[in-house]
Amino acid sequence: MISLRNRADFERVRRTGQSWAHPFAVLVAGSNHLTHSRFGFVASRQVGNAVVRNRSKRILRAAVRATITQFPAGWDVILIARNGLRERGLAEALVALRHLLRTAALRQPPAAAGD
């Protein structure tokens, strides 16, 4: 799994991507015109203190690892943890992520110009 780390990439996805919500997570996806997808994980201070935020992001990472084959290539994906995810755990995160994937119906993005 390749991570989104650059602040500019996060901002680009938030600005140009589309978002879908679930009570425990939000999925924001935008095309990256690469041969692979990249993932970023966010938990705001509203989720809790640093321990709770990090736990929530670890749960989301584990859910992505378990469903990585369902993500098509060519997307930058940001997953934002919401309140209550930490208490629900991995099983509920998997349900939320599968729901978001169905709702988003991520398709292969268009090829970059000049390809």
Side-chain angles (χ1 to χ4, degrees):
M1 175 171 54
I2 299 172
S3 295
L4 272 176
R5 298 187 185 274
N6 191 344
R7 181 181 179 97
D9 287 336
F10 272 90
E11 290 174 358
R12 179 186 49 79
V13 173
R14 293 294 301 262
R15 188 179 63 251
T16 63
Q18 212 173 353
S19 66
W20 297 269
H22 183 273
F24 300 122
V26 176
L27 183 140
V28 183
S31 176
N32 67 12
H33 301 294
L34 299 173
T35 59
H36 56 274
S37 289
R38 300 182 298 181
F39 300 90
F41 303 92
V42 178
S44 74
R45 288 187 182 166
Q46 293 176 350
V47 172
N49 64 20
V51 172
V52 173
R53 292 193 309 267
N54 287 329
R55 174 78 174 138
S56 297
K57 289 188 286 186
R58 280 195 304 271
I59 290 170
L60 286 176
R61 276 189 206 98
V64 167
R65 278 189 211 102
T67 59
I68 193 85
T69 58
Q70 297 176 17
F71 283 95
W75 292 96
D76 283 341
V77 178
I78 299 173
L79 285 163
I80 304 167
R82 285 186 158 177
N83 282 331
L85 178 65
R86 182 183 66 93
E87 292 84 16
R88 301 294 180 158
L90 180 59
E92 191 66 33
L94 285 168
V95 169
L97 187 56
R98 287 184 183 121
H99 169 77
L100 288 168
L101 286 173
R102 272 193 315 275
T103 305
L106 292 181
R107 289 168 282 139
Q108 204 61 23
D115 283 351

